[in-house]
Amino acid sequence: QLSIGGRPHIRQLAELRQAYPRVVVVLVDGKNARLFKLQFGTILEEIDLEDPDMPRKHDQGGWSQANLQRHVQDHIDRHHKEAADVLTKFADEAKLHGVVLSGQERNIANFRGFLPKRLDEKILGTLHLDIRSSADEVASAAQRVIADRRAADLAGRLATLEDFTKKNGRGALGLA
């Protein structure tokens, strides 16, 4: 589009920013976490976190096995807390539109337990990508989640508008 005039026409830029907001994608498992900061559909920054001290499995049973399981869970909790702290720092530095999480359900649930409420409310959706996924795969999958969430939000707003018009509220439909 070409526009000539004394005022800038920024509608297309605003639409582009809504279609490609600033988000962080977090891929998390029990030992690794990868954080990607995306804006306009491209990756601006990537951080890899790993817990190198994760205990190994053993063949003993009984009390030893239960102790090992608690020890492993403790390592996973510390790893998820560290990843949540890094995500919180990302969010504080940049005005994020949202967060996309990826991983197994139990890892995502455990990770969300360490997020502050203000970040947990910004979760746009979840994915099930492999922790070793390429940056391009992460970016394209995140864009699908963002587009789906945007479409769902728009559908919700339209449904609210229709409800207001049906109840003689503050809404109007049609030419009349």
Side-chain angles (χ1 to χ4, degrees):
Q1 178 180 359
L2 173 64
S3 297
I4 299 174
R7 296 185 336 210
H9 295 270
I10 60 171
R11 180 178 180 199
Q12 289 177 331
L13 291 175
E15 288 175 1
L16 187 65
R17 185 169 179 124
Q18 283 183 347
Y20 298 98
R22 183 179 300 172
V23 297
V24 172
V25 181
V26 181
L27 279 66
V28 66
D29 68 11
K31 186 178 178 182
N32 300 297
R34 296 174 67 198
L35 287 83
F36 298 88
K37 189 187 300 184
L38 277 78
Q39 186 170 15
F40 294 113
T42 60
I43 295 176
L44 303 176
E45 189 174 348
E46 177 183 351
I47 293 179
D48 292 330
L49 302 171
E50 182 180 2
D51 182 5
D53 299 328
M54 180 63 76
R56 303 279 182 223
K57 294 181 180 178
H58 62 78
D59 294 331
Q60 297 173 352
W63 288 77
S64 296
Q65 184 66 31
N67 286 339
L68 178 66
Q69 288 174 352
R70 281 191 298 276
H71 188 61
V72 167
Q73 187 59 47
D74 183 52
H75 274 270
I76 291 171
D77 288 347
R78 279 189 271 146
H79 170 63
H80 287 168
K81 182 174 180 356
E82 178 187 357
D85 291 344
V86 172
L87 174 59
T88 303
K89 184 178 176 185
F90 258 21
D92 291 342
E93 291 174 356
K95 295 178 181 176
L96 291 181
H97 176 73
V99 177
V100 178
L101 299 178
S102 177
Q104 294 177 345
E105 293 298 325
R106 69 174 190 266
N107 285 324
I108 290 175
N110 192 46
F111 176 75
R112 286 181 79 165
F114 295 104
L115 289 178
K117 185 176 181 180
R118 63 186 164 88
L119 274 183
D120 194 55
E121 292 171 349
K122 289 189 173 197
I123 293 177
L124 301 174
T126 59
L127 298 167
H128 300 288
L129 297 174
D130 186 74
I131 194 77
R132 297 174 300 267
S133 297
S134 71
D136 292 336
E137 291 172 335
V138 170
S140 65
Q143 278 309 124
R144 287 192 300 272
V145 169
I146 292 166
D148 291 347
R149 179 63 181 261
R150 188 172 177 211
D153 288 346
L154 181 59
R157 288 180 181 175
L158 290 174
T160 302
L161 177 63
E162 287 177 354
D163 287 345
F164 278 134
T165 60
K166 290 177 185 173
K167 297 177 183 175
N168 294 330
R170 303 183 105 185
L173 285 176
L175 296 174

